Amino acid sequence: MDPTGDSLIRLSIGLTAHRDLAAHEEPALRAAVRGFLEGLRRDFPHLPLRLVTALAEGGDQLAAEEAVALGVELLVPLPMEQAEYERDFEDPQALRRFRELIAKADVRVLPMMRGSSLEDIVRRGEDRNRQYAQQGMFVSSHCQVLLALWDGNPSTATGGTAQAVEFHLHNVMSSLSVDQVAPNLLADDESDLIYHIGCSRRVGSKGMPPRIAPLACRWLTVAGASDASAGMPAHYRHVFGQMEQFNLDMQRYSARILAEPSPLFEGELPGEPPASARILERQFSAADWLALHFQHRVRGSLLCTHVIAALMGIAFIAFSDSRSGRWYAGAFLALFVLGLLLAMMARRRQWQRKYLDYRGLAEGLRVQLHWRMAGVEIPANSSLGYDSFLQKQDVDLSWIRHAMRGVGLLQDSQFESGPGWLAWVIRHWVGDAQGNGGQLEYFRTGSRHRARAFWLTSRIGDLALLGGLLGATALVLGGARLSSPVQQSLVLAMGLLPLLSGIREAYSYKKADKELIKQFRFMCRLFESCRERLARSRSD
């Protein structure tokens, strides 16, 4: 895994811009765009940038040229096939710039909107405009921040810059009916960030002056506007920082991730997986390895902390029952300091958060890869599949949803799924008809092993508690008839064994053993139901 390669999470910048910029403002607009990109690179040096733009005449090409000059990669979602799209370039110079730029970019051709055909969009009119509207919704739904070169005026032009801004902020596009715009969740909108650079349009193009001062820069969200000099809104800075932290961890452990991969393409394959799916596999492998790595750190620190607690209990009991108690008191304090330092290190290095976050990201990537190989694609006008992921969990997991938006951008137009790949996905993701393999076997086996381990540790804890009670009973019944060494041993058992039982219970509670067993059983039932429905199905 090349640490600077395609496995790193990208910060995707969508672009919407006017086609008819005022010529005298273009040098200053270039400087503003360049400053914006350089600022993002300076603030997030380990988060590679990707510009998502259709390379239309005017502001799209201006911003793309600045991005290419800075080494920012381009992804071009075309609203229609390239030859058809090029018919909208009236200026030969603009067409030449388009062809030069697209030669340096990854290209994705968007499908026809529902109810439209190729014959419908050949003619200029509403059907063709709706393809541009879909392209604007695609850019908005797959970026973390939208760069808008916009005069600030509303517009009724279907798919225009003003409507792209409206969609990014409010998930509505006024020129389209409700059924033509993908539904949004009722949860908070986590992707409404816009960097707005004010601009003028050519004299007489629309007959409206700019609503904000040309070349003025500001951040826009649903909550309102703030001057660019105030910096990016704190929530987004935090989210992008967590995305960057994943890249840093992936780079730090890249050699070990390569040495211990977690491949998803296993067994006999129906064909060669496309390049984008291989990227998803490498990203999954990195996230999976990092999740396991930090899981071991979390469990190791938990085990050490509870062992230290047990030793502190022994030191306390020995202190209360020994003439040379000073040494035991010193041991008690030393153990306390050691446990405190371990807890502080785990909290400072965020082992628990990274373990849970990277596990969540890995599972999202697993789903994304299997969807792609089975031919399941999120509609071009929607981000619902990404934004619904882990919505019921900690709001801090919004960075994972942002990361998933980026990985959904890449697609190989030459790849077509079929019955072979569908059968492979069912077998390796869900499980075969006998319930072997896939997630079904994983959760079934995991439920059994976790339940057995919990039962065993619970019995050991019960025996320890019982031993303490028996020691106390022997002291009560035996009294002075017992020798002094026997009495001391029983006192030690009476104090130590219930302590160990309590520490075991606390350790199990901290690991959430009972809840994990319930979750594994729930997931097992879910995949069993999935397997049954697949068995009943009569067509792909």
Side-chain angles (χ1 to χ4, degrees), residues 289-305:
W289 189 95
L290 289 170
L292 291 173
H293 172 75
F294 287 110
Q295 180 189 47
H296 294 155
R297 292 283 179 92
V298 168
R299 291 186 173 178
S301 66
L302 275 178
L303 181 61
C304 289
T305 300

Side-chain angles (χ1 to χ4, degrees), residues 8 22 24 26 42 54 61 114 135 157 205 245 250 263 275 378 388 448:
L8 297 175
H24 68 279
E26 288 194 12
R42 182 173 58 250
Q61 294 183 357
R114 188 175 58 189
Q135 183 265 330
S205 63
Q245 185 60 56
M250 183 160 54
I378 293 172
S388 61
R448 191 164 54 248

Side-chain angles (χ1 to χ4, degrees), residues 216-490:
C217 300
R218 59 178 182 166
W219 292 102
L220 292 177
T221 65
V222 171
S226 61
D227 191 83
S229 60
M232 181 184 293
H235 169 69
Y236 281 96
R237 182 175 293 275
H238 175 68
V239 167
F240 299 161
Q242 288 182 309
M243 292 169 60
E244 185 179 41
Q245 185 60 56
F246 174 77
N247 283 348
L248 282 169
D249 287 333
M250 183 160 54
Q251 290 174 312
R252 183 177 297 117
Y253 297 105
S254 59
R256 295 177 63 183
I257 293 171
L258 273 176
E260 305 167 27
S262 302
L264 290 175
F265 288 112
E266 296 181 296
E268 185 177 352
L269 301 178
E272 178 60 28
S276 64
R278 287 294 189 186
I279 294 174
L280 279 172
E281 182 188 38
R282 289 193 290 274
Q283 289 175 329
F284 166 83
S285 184
D288 184 66
W289 189 95
L290 289 170
L292 291 173
H293 172 75
F294 287 110
Q295 180 189 47
H296 294 155
R297 292 283 179 92
V298 168
R299 291 186 173 178
S301 66
L302 275 178
L303 181 61
C304 289
T305 300
H306 286 78
V307 168
I308 288 171
L311 294 175
M312 287 174 65
I314 294 172
F316 177 79
I317 293 171
F319 167 76
S320 63
D321 196 47
S322 173
R323 294 178 181 176
S324 56
R326 188 163 62 90
W327 299 106
Y328 292 113
F332 182 92
L333 290 174
L335 288 167
F336 177 81
V337 172
L338 179 61
L340 181 63
L341 290 175
L342 180 61
M344 290 173 61
M345 181 171 65
R347 188 178 301 113
R348 180 178 179 83
R349 298 187 178 180
Q350 300 183 321
W351 292 343
Q352 176 78 1
R353 181 194 70 79
K354 290 182 178 181
Y355 154 46
L356 296 175
D357 283 14
Y358 296 167
R359 182 78 270 142
L361 177 61
E363 294 314 309
L365 291 167
R366 186 202 302 273
V367 172
Q368 179 69 37
L369 183 138
H370 286 114
W371 275 4
R372 178 151 310 168
M373 303 314 296
V376 178
E377 287 295 338
I378 293 172
N381 63 341
S382 171
S383 61
L384 187 61
Y386 311 121
D387 291 347
S388 61
F389 183 56
L390 293 173
Q391 270 286 2
K392 294 182 180 179
Q393 311 305 321
D394 190 340
V395 293
D396 247 5
L397 299 185
S398 63
W399 80 267
I400 300 177
R401 292 185 280 273
H402 276 276
M404 293 300 298
R405 281 175 167 237
V407 300
L409 272 169
L410 300 179
Q411 190 184 62
D412 298 86
S413 57
Q414 295 80 14
F415 172 76
E416 289 187 8
S417 181
W421 276 115
L422 181 58
W424 179 88
V425 167
I426 293 172
R427 187 169 62 254
H428 286 81
W429 181 17
V430 180
D432 62 23
Q434 288 73 43
N436 300 317
Q439 296 289 281
L440 179 54
E441 182 177 358
Y442 170 77
F443 285 113
R444 182 181 290 160
T445 304
S447 300
R448 191 164 54 248
H449 288 173
R450 286 175 183 272
R452 186 184 301 123
F454 180 74
W455 180 89
L456 180 61
T457 58
S458 297
R459 297 292 79 77
I460 292 173
D462 292 343
L463 289 174
L465 183 60
L466 179 61
L469 292 174
L470 289 175
T473 303
L475 278 175
V476 171
L477 298 178
R481 294 192 301 274
L482 300 174
S483 64
S484 179
V486 172
Q487 287 185 11
Q488 289 181 348
S489 299
L490 290 175

Side-chain angles (χ1 to χ4, degrees), residues 131-152:
Q131 285 300 118
Y132 280 99
Q134 177 183 241
Q135 183 265 330
M137 289 187 284
F138 176 88
V139 171
S140 170
S141 299
H142 291 79
C143 71
Q144 283 80 47
V145 54
L146 184 69
L147 173 61
L149 276 60
W150 175 44
D151 64 1

